[in-house]
Amino acid sequence: MEDKKNMKKPTGEKPQKQTELEKSTYVKEKEKEAAAAQKAAEKANRKAEKAQTPKLPLKERLKSPRFRHGAVAKGITVLVVVVLVLVNVLFSALSQKFPNMNIDMTTGGVNSLSEQVQDVVESVQHDTEIIIIGTEDEVRNNQLLSSYGVNYSQVAILTDKMHALNPKITVTYKDLDADPTFANDYPDDDLVSGDVIVKTDLRSYVVKYYDLFDVSSNYQTGATDVYTQAGDALAAGISNANAETLPVAAFDTGHEEQLPTDALESLLKSNNFDTQTFNLLTDDIPEGTQLLILGAPSTDYTEEELSKLDDYLANTDLAADRALLVTFHVNAGTMPNLASFLKEWGMTVEDEILAETDANKTIANQPLFLMAQTGTSTVLNEHADYGYLLDPQTQPITLDENVTGVTTSTLLTSSSTTAAVATDSDGSDLSTAPQQSYTLAAMGEKTVSAGGEDYHARVVAMGGSVFFTSAYLQSGTFSNSAWTADLAKYVTGTQDASAVTITPVQTNTLDISFSSAASGLVGIGAFTILIPAACFIAGIVVYRKRRKL
């Protein structure tokens, strides 16, 4: 043990290691020099052998395996590149000529023609010109309405597909800056960029830009929501412009009406009605009227006005069904003359307001917002499934089935847990009010003879007017618009007329999006340049490797 402790490390160890390292470096350098010399010698030998080898005739060289392998590689490479370029050019040309070949990857498929739009387009028999107000570059590159977040190129895409589906439909563009006098042909339409005109030899129909797209503020998030109904709106214009005849829907404007009619007029136009306004007190009812609308009047009607309504409903010169639609508002007050008129048609609108007592049947915990149910005595459309019908702030209607010559029916009802309270109620009496199903919309019907044929005269009473406002007629959640369209066609006997249901689709949901210019650039860059270039480079690499085999 002591010997181990007293052992000393050998002297001179460090210098020995240094010497070994120096030798190793020296050896490595010599090895590199030897390898380089050997490589140079081998290269010189190959060069000498090549110089001594006699050249084969061209015919033999062409038959050699080396040449054949190289030629095949080159040929395949060139052929693949040529095929890829030709395929891309072919598909680019075909996609322009046949737009329906393009795959729609947008949210909601907004760049595709829906089934109902295709039906309208395929049914067109008249030459139909779609005139888009704006230059083609502005439209296709989303320069119109871009400040609102609208992808206006959708209009060009859809109209191209309409033309491809039916050649009778043509598409042109009109720049109002270049031709400002063009708008003089449409003095009542206040044409601006983004509007679309559908024109046939029968009539013209102007689709306003706000009929194509709807931009609104989201009060919950503070963001701007963009909705499109371009396909449906364009189809509605095509259907209207191609209809052989249009029944008139006339709106009275002389009684401080509380119902905003823009949404209802738009709906009726899209269902092939010609909408007009008039003053019942001072004007004649427009000729050809089949639907007359009193939209939540605030003042009562005179005997002279009611006499006009009687004459209109009993007109024996009108060889068609005719109807009167009267809507009410809870704050309108009493109108005894109008009430007496409706009573003659078997209907009384009560001075009460309805509320839902079952919280499970309310919308956003609003008891005055009733979920309506369709009546069973009159079926407006046997093929329709209306889903949710919302009828806010409505009054109950009582029917009298004993009026001579009048047949009454219920169109809409409330749930069995509905209560009726006074219109000025604060809600405290809601829990004690009796609950039952109430009539929300009703109809009285008579038969009128004209030209040897029997037709229907109908009066429809709606206990509320909010049902027909834009918030619910243009909602994708509720079926108010479908029910209203079917009601208008049923009471006028025009069920066979083409109709388009306008369904908004939100377009600015979180998604990957490109402008038309960007998507075109990506398509050209990826499929016309990058992929062929990659194949070409891969071919060169394979060729060079095969040469060494």
Side-chain angles (χ1 to χ4, degrees):
M1 295 293 292
E2 291 179 359
D3 292 338
K4 288 184 179 181
K5 289 182 180 179
N6 295 328
M7 287 178 65
K8 294 183 179 179
K9 295 181 180 180
T11 59
E13 184 177 348
K14 248 182 177 180
Q16 184 179 354
K17 285 188 177 181
Q18 181 68 28
T19 302
E20 291 177 359
L21 287 173
E22 290 175 357
K23 289 180 179 179
S24 176
T25 302
Y26 175 78
V27 171
K28 288 181 179 179
E29 289 178 354
K30 289 298 183 181
E31 289 177 348
K32 286 182 180 179
E33 291 177 0
Q38 184 178 357
K39 189 175 182 180
E42 290 176 354
K43 185 176 181 180
N45 291 335
R46 286 196 303 268
K47 190 173 182 181
E49 291 176 0
K50 186 176 181 180
Q52 294 175 1
T53 302
K55 290 186 177 180
L56 296 174
L58 178 61
K59 187 175 181 180
E60 293 184 14
R61 276 188 288 169
L62 292 176
K63 293 181 179 180
S64 66
R66 183 174 179 180
F67 180 85
R68 282 183 293 174
H69 292 165
V72 170
K74 290 178 182 178
I76 292 175
T77 302
V78 173
L79 181 62
V80 169
V81 172
V82 171
V83 169
L84 285 173
V85 172
L86 291 177
V87 167
N88 278 282
V89 171
L90 177 63
F91 273 90
S92 297
L94 288 175
S95 64
Q96 292 180 2
K97 188 170 183 179
F98 305 102
N100 291 325
M101 291 180 57
N102 295 319
I103 300 174
D104 184 9
M105 301 184 68
T106 58
T107 302
V110 296
N111 284 344
S112 299
L113 303 181
S114 67
E115 185 175 345
Q116 73 162 348
V117 173
Q118 291 183 44
D119 290 342
V120 171
V121 171
E122 290 174 345
S123 67
V124 169
Q125 300 295 324
H126 297 272
D127 291 335
T128 303
E129 182 182 13
I130 297 177
I131 306 172
I132 303 174
I133 306 301
T135 67
E136 187 170 359
D137 287 341
E138 289 176 332
V139 173
R140 295 192 182 278
N141 294 321
N142 284 324
Q143 295 175 8
L144 292 182
L145 308 178
S146 58
S147 60
Y148 299 100
V150 169
N151 293 323
Y152 197 88
S153 60
Q154 180 193 354
V155 175
I157 294 171
L158 293 175
T159 52
D160 286 346
K161 292 184 176 182
M162 290 176 176
H163 169 67
L165 189 60
N166 190 335
K168 287 186 174 293
I169 298 175
T170 57
V171 183
T172 58
Y173 296 82
K174 178 62 67 173
D175 183 7
L176 293 182
D177 292 333
D179 186 7
T181 60
F182 176 80
N184 295 338
D185 295 335
Y186 306 88
D188 299 328
D189 296 301
D190 191 23
L191 292 180
V192 297
S193 294
D195 292 344
V196 178
I197 302 170
V198 183
K199 185 178 180 181
T200 66
D201 56 346
L202 298 173
R203 69 186 63 82
S204 297
Y205 183 98
V206 176
V207 184
K208 302 295 291 182
Y209 69 89
Y210 47 77
D211 293 327
L212 298 167
F213 303 95
D214 179 45
V215 180
S216 59
S217 297
N218 189 315
Y219 295 105
Q220 293 180 337
T221 64
T224 299
D225 292 336
V226 180
Y227 293 85
T228 178
Q229 54 260 4
D232 294 340
L234 291 169
I238 293 172
S239 177
N240 187 288
N242 280 273
E244 296 296 334
T245 58
L246 295 178
V248 175
F251 290 79
D252 178 33
T253 60
H255 290 268
E256 301 177 13
E257 286 74 14
Q258 299 184 54
L259 172 63
T261 61
D262 290 347
L264 183 54
E265 288 187 55
S266 178
L267 176 65
L268 292 174
K269 286 180 180 179
S270 69
N271 284 273
N272 292 345
F273 283 85
D274 177 18
T275 61
Q276 300 182 23
T277 58
F278 76 109
N279 188 317
L280 184 59
L281 180 61
T282 60
D283 302 330
D284 292 331
I285 296 175
E287 185 178 356
T289 296
Q290 288 185 249
L291 178 59
L292 199 158
I293 300 165
L294 311 180
S298 298
T299 59
D300 205 0
Y301 291 81
T302 65
E303 293 296 334
E304 181 183 357
E305 289 176 297
L306 296 177
S307 178
K308 284 185 179 181
L309 295 179
D310 285 330
D311 293 341
Y312 156 71
L313 292 167
N315 184 7
T316 57
D317 294 328
L318 179 61
D321 291 347
R322 73 295 308 268
L324 171 68
L325 171 63
V326 187
T327 72
F328 287 82
H329 194 279
V330 292
N331 297 326
T334 59
M335 290 177 281
N337 291 343
L338 181 59
S340 297
F341 174 84
L342 290 177
K343 197 170 184 179
E344 294 175 0
W345 287 83
M347 296 173 287
T348 300
V349 178
E350 306 294 347
D351 188 22
E352 295 175 311
I353 189 169
L354 297 176
E356 178 58 65
T357 62
D358 186 348
N360 295 323
K361 300 176 183 177
T362 60
I363 298 295
N365 293 322
Q366 296 290 334
L368 299 183
F369 284 52
L370 304 184
M371 296 302 299
Q373 303 167 11
T374 55
T376 57
S377 56
T378 298
V379 178
L380 302 181
N381 184 345
E382 61 182 3
H383 303 294
D385 179 10
Y386 298 115
Y388 298 110
L389 295 170
L390 189 64
D391 192 6
Q393 302 176 17
T394 187
Q395 299 170 261
I397 301 174
T398 302
L399 300 183
D400 183 358
E401 299 179 355
N402 298 317
V403 178
T404 303
V406 176
T407 302
T408 58
S409 58
T410 298
L411 300 177
L412 292 176
T413 63
S414 69
S415 72
S416 59
T417 54
T418 307
V421 296
T423 55
D424 57 355
S425 172
D426 60 1
S428 59
D429 54 344
L430 184 60
S431 59
T432 59
Q435 301 175 13
Q436 67 178 67
S437 177
Y438 288 90
T439 297
L440 309 179
M443 180 173 66
E445 182 177 335
K446 294 180 180 180
T447 299
V448 178
S449 296
E453 298 288 340
D454 287 340
Y455 297 95
H456 300 284
R458 300 178 173 105
V459 175
V460 177
M462 287 283 298
S465 294
V466 182
F467 184 98
F468 298 109
T469 58
S470 60
Y472 307 110
L473 285 185
Q474 297 177 352
S475 169
T477 303
F478 305 107
S479 300
N480 292 27
S481 61
W483 185 87
T484 302
D486 285 341
L487 173 67
K489 289 183 288 183
Y490 179 85
V491 297
T492 57
T494 56
Q495 294 98 318
D496 295 333
S498 298
V500 178
T501 301
I502 307 295
T503 305
V505 178
Q506 188 171 0
T507 61
N508 63 334
T509 53
L510 293 177
D511 194 8
I512 298 175
S513 61
F514 284 104
S515 66
S516 296
S519 62
L521 182 62
V522 170
I524 293 174
F527 295 101
T528 307
I529 299 175
L530 293 181
I531 292 179
C535 293
F536 180 78
I537 293 171
I540 294 296
V541 172
V542 171
Y543 165 71
R544 291 183 64 86
K545 287 186 176 182
R546 290 179 62 88
R547 284 189 62 185
K548 297 179 180 180
L549 295 178

